[in-house]
Amino acid sequence: MCHDFDLANYYGSNHYNTTYTTLSTPPAPAGRPPIDILREHVCAGAAFDSAERGEPPRCHPETRTAIISSGRQWVDALNTLCFFKWITGWAGVGKSAILQTLAELYSNLGRLAASFFFFQASSNRNTISGFVATIAEQLMDSVPGAREIILHKIANNPKIFVNKSFRSQWQTLIVDTLRHPTIPPPMAPMLIVIDGVDEIASHKKQCILLQTILSSALQLGPSYKFLIASRPEPQIERVFGEFGIPQESRIELGDSCSTQHDIRLYLQAYFMGIHHAHDFQSTSSAQAWPGQHVIECLVKKASGQFVYASTVIQFVESQDDPEAALEIVMKGRDVHAESFKELDYLYLLLMERVKRSIQKENQHLLHHLLVCIYMCLVREVQDQLHLLYPEESKENLVKSLLRKLKPILGTNGEYCHKSFIEFLVQPSVPHIFSINSWHISGVISLCLPVFLKNGIDTIPLLWLLERASPTPDLVSCLDKIPPGRLGSWVYEEGQKKSGYLWDNKPGLGWLGYEFSL
């Protein structure tokens, strides 16, 4: 964010006062300690180094060097009047990898103030409800003196996360804390990283988040820089337009020459590793496998999408015969597939290969797993395979399918990239692997009784309940749930969602069905 700004006056203000006092230990409210209140609202999986995120995407050391260097120069500059950078671009261009790389870099330097990585398939990472608490908890560790101030504020208003608006929470716990006269100024600017704003489920709340942060950036001045990434969705573009964000505060990623160069380097490096690991003969006397012509073809197919290149590598790496696997990727399209986008077609090839590996009568299990990937239930399902699929043959088959889906799944059991979910629910062309509301109903009906019986968190199941169809099996399943087991589940503002009607009561009213809860 750029504004006319008096740096000398700013550095002479109380924010940079060299005389500090120490707050007394904040009093605990009559009920619970303020630290417990804060942690109740923290989204533990949102930080850049969260175990929930597994092995997140990051830039290969030889790629994105210009963008990383430019980002570092911007963060480090004390004389800049731009306190905000927006990295934008459509699916798969590497936004999250860039933010992850910069977050790790500044964490190692001790200059990462906080980070939050939104994720549409997580019930607490696709909303802004836990955002302020999560940032506040991280500031308590990264900013000297912030801990006492934040806990003191929560002690004075134990219900701040319940009865105060998002803007009020942000101003009180974040802005006022960082501007407090007892907070020593950082020796160099600190970075706050926010990734995936477009993955917040509500467009309205995407705008509230951005409007709040943009409004506060000037108050915090050059000591804190905000690096935010999202797709260029219309509602997000509109907010930046309203605030008059200049062009130099925007980095747009796409199919540029530099991006093609980076994808080429990425492919060359990883194919060289695969070549050495398998020690097979080169297909050309002049060039090592797979040959520069194949590399160039893949760069063209990627169209600036790093996710295309990384999916190809993960698929080829995961196969016993990498040469045959690459041939599958490189084969020509048939007439049916001509209208697919390149990335969707790649996903289609991978899924068809998995489908052909199982007998027809068991192919419904693949659809079960695809829905579980969509609902981020893979880890829970893996832990309960013996209960969900009592037949040993089916349990072993599901384990085998999970191994074959490894190129699509991350190390934490979640899908590697949002583009695969769009392939399942919003494909460029309809295909047999599409997920619909009936598939969702089937998985919920299968998993919900097992989860309830074994004390497994049911929220990952229930947050997509609104997108399921009221099949007899699902209606019967919900009707058998003991009273109170769904009482804490709240549907946002009681509104219609995905065409289904919720009655905003502890029980559920669904297309005329009445439940006995």
Side-chain angles (χ1 to χ4, degrees):
M1 189 171 190
C2 300
H3 284 279
D4 294 330
F5 195 77
D6 187 346
L7 280 172
N9 190 34
Y10 177 81
Y11 281 98
S13 71
N14 282 338
H15 184 70
Y16 281 82
N17 195 316
T18 55
T19 303
Y20 309 114
T21 58
T22 303
L23 289 177
S24 58
T25 303
R32 300 160 58 208
I35 188 64
D36 289 350
I37 296 172
L38 175 66
R39 286 173 177 165
E40 180 184 351
H41 295 86
V42 164
C43 177
F48 82 99
D49 57 353
S50 164
E52 181 179 312
R53 297 184 63 233
E55 272 303 312
R58 54 178 61 84
C59 298
H60 185 274
E62 297 178 14
T63 65
R64 296 302 198 191
T65 54
I67 292 176
I68 297 298
S69 176
S70 173
R72 291 192 65 176
Q73 290 176 15
W74 165 72
V75 177
D76 296 345
L78 280 170
N79 59 349
T80 181
L81 299 182
C82 296
F83 314 140
F84 187 99
K85 272 297 185 199
W86 178 35
I87 294 183
T88 185
W90 291 110
V93 294
K95 302 182 295 294
S96 295
I98 292 170
L99 265 68
Q100 179 71 27
T101 300
L102 285 167
E104 291 177 358
L105 192 155
Y106 278 92
S107 176
N108 292 335
L109 295 173
R111 292 172 52 201
L112 181 68
S115 63
F116 198 107
F117 284 72
F118 287 100
F119 184 49
Q120 69 165 3
S122 171
S123 58
N124 59 2
R125 286 168 56 199
N126 66 359
T127 175
I128 63 174
S129 59
F131 181 81
V132 174
T134 305
I135 298 296
E137 184 192 47
Q138 294 177 49
L139 291 180
M140 292 198 306
D141 293 329
S142 62
V143 178
R147 182 182 184 87
E148 291 78 8
I149 297 170
I150 290 170
L151 294 181
H152 192 89
K153 290 176 181 294
I154 295 173
N156 288 337
N157 185 1
K159 295 186 177 180
I160 188 170
F161 298 113
V162 178
N163 60 15
K164 295 296 182 181
S165 68
F166 177 84
R167 290 186 177 92
S168 179
Q169 292 175 35
W170 178 261
Q171 183 68 37
T172 301
L173 294 180
I174 309 302
V175 179
D176 292 350
T177 294
L178 295 178
R179 296 181 71 242
H180 198 279
T182 64
I183 295 289
M187 298 294 291
M190 302 279 283
L191 179 63
I192 298 175
V193 170
I194 304 167
D195 180 58
V197 174
D198 56 287
E199 302 214 20
I200 299 170
S202 165
H203 287 186
K204 178 181 178 182
K205 292 184 178 179
Q206 293 175 15
C207 297
I208 290 173
L209 174 81
L210 290 174
Q211 290 164 351
T212 301
I213 292 173
L214 287 169
S215 298
S216 67
L218 182 60
Q219 297 180 60
L220 294 175
S223 288
Y224 296 92
K225 307 287 183 71
F226 291 88
L227 181 63
I228 297 185
S230 76
R231 296 186 186 189
E233 302 284 2
Q235 68 280 2
I236 295 175
E237 293 265 21
R238 187 167 58 250
V239 172
F240 287 121
E242 291 169 354
F243 277 82
I245 300 301
Q247 190 61 37
E248 60 264 31
S249 290
R250 172 175 177 156
I251 299 175
E252 188 161 358
L253 305 177
D255 192 16
S256 64
C257 292
S258 62
T259 299
Q260 293 175 11
H261 172 72
D262 287 345
I263 292 176
R264 187 178 295 110
L265 286 176
Y266 174 89
L267 290 169
Q268 288 170 339
Y270 277 96
F271 275 128
M272 184 180 297
I274 296 171
H275 191 181
H276 290 159
H278 288 265
D279 195 28
F280 44 68
Q281 294 297 313
S282 173
T283 55
S284 166
S285 58
Q287 295 177 322
W289 176 88
Q292 195 59 36
H293 66 289
V294 173
I295 299 285
E296 294 302 326
C297 182
L298 290 173
V299 170
K300 183 178 179 180
K301 286 174 178 288
S303 302
Q305 294 178 300
F306 264 88
V307 67
Y308 180 92
S310 65
T311 303
V312 169
I313 293 296
Q314 290 173 56
F315 171 62
V316 174
E317 277 184 327
S318 68
Q319 305 301 308
D320 295 331
D321 186 347
E323 290 180 294
L326 184 57
E327 287 178 10
I328 292 172
V329 174
M330 297 300 296
K331 74 175 184 179
R333 299 188 184 202
D334 55 29
V335 175
H336 167 71
E338 283 183 356
S339 53
F340 275 90
K341 296 177 181 177
E342 288 290 354
L343 185 56
D344 278 2
Y345 182 61
L346 176 60
Y347 288 140
L348 183 65
L349 286 176
L350 269 58
M351 296 311 304
E352 285 182 339
R353 181 177 173 87
V354 175
K355 178 175 175 285
R356 285 196 298 270
S357 70
I358 54 179
Q359 296 179 346
K360 188 173 183 179
E361 62 267 23
N362 289 320
Q363 289 177 357
H364 67 283
L365 295 176
L366 177 57
H367 274 91
H368 280 186
L369 287 180
L370 293 178
V371 178
C372 289
I373 292 172
Y374 172 52
M375 298 174 72
C376 287
L377 287 170
V378 173
R379 281 177 294 178
E380 290 83 354
V381 167
Q382 282 180 315
D383 292 340
Q384 304 299 325
L385 282 179
H386 61 292
L387 296 174
L388 294 169
Y389 305 100
E391 296 178 39
E392 186 176 350
S393 60
K394 280 194 167 69
E395 182 183 347
N396 291 334
L397 177 56
V398 173
K399 289 179 181 178
S400 173
L401 288 173
L402 286 169
R403 287 193 296 271
K404 290 171 182 175
L405 292 170
K406 187 178 178 182
I408 293 164
L409 296 175
T411 55
N412 59 348
E414 293 175 349
Y415 51 84
C416 287
H417 198 271
K418 184 178 178 180
S419 58
F420 180 68
I421 297 306
E422 292 171 338
F423 164 76
L424 293 177
V425 297
Q426 296 174 322
S428 54
V429 177
H431 54 78
I432 62 170
F433 302 105
S434 299
I435 288 176
N436 59 39
S437 58
W438 297 90
H439 297 137
I440 295 172
S441 299
V443 169
I444 295 175
S445 300
L446 173 69
C447 294
L448 188 55
V450 173
F451 282 24
L452 286 170
K453 183 178 179 180
N454 293 276
I456 303 169
D457 184 12
T458 58
I459 287 180
L461 282 173
L462 299 178
W463 82 271
L464 278 177
L465 190 60
E466 67 207 26
R467 302 184 191 180
S469 290
T471 62
D473 285 347
L474 183 55
V475 170
S476 174
C477 177
L478 291 172
D479 203 24
K480 292 176 182 176
I481 296 176
R485 295 302 294 272
L486 289 179
S488 62
W489 189 252
V490 178
Y491 295 93
E492 185 178 352
E493 301 172 354
Q495 299 296 316
K496 288 182 179 180
K497 284 189 168 186
S498 304
Y500 298 119
L501 179 64
W502 299 90
D503 66 3
N504 201 25
K505 298 176 181 178
L508 305 173
W510 198 8
L511 295 179
Y513 284 99
E514 293 295 335
F515 295 90
S516 59
L517 293 177

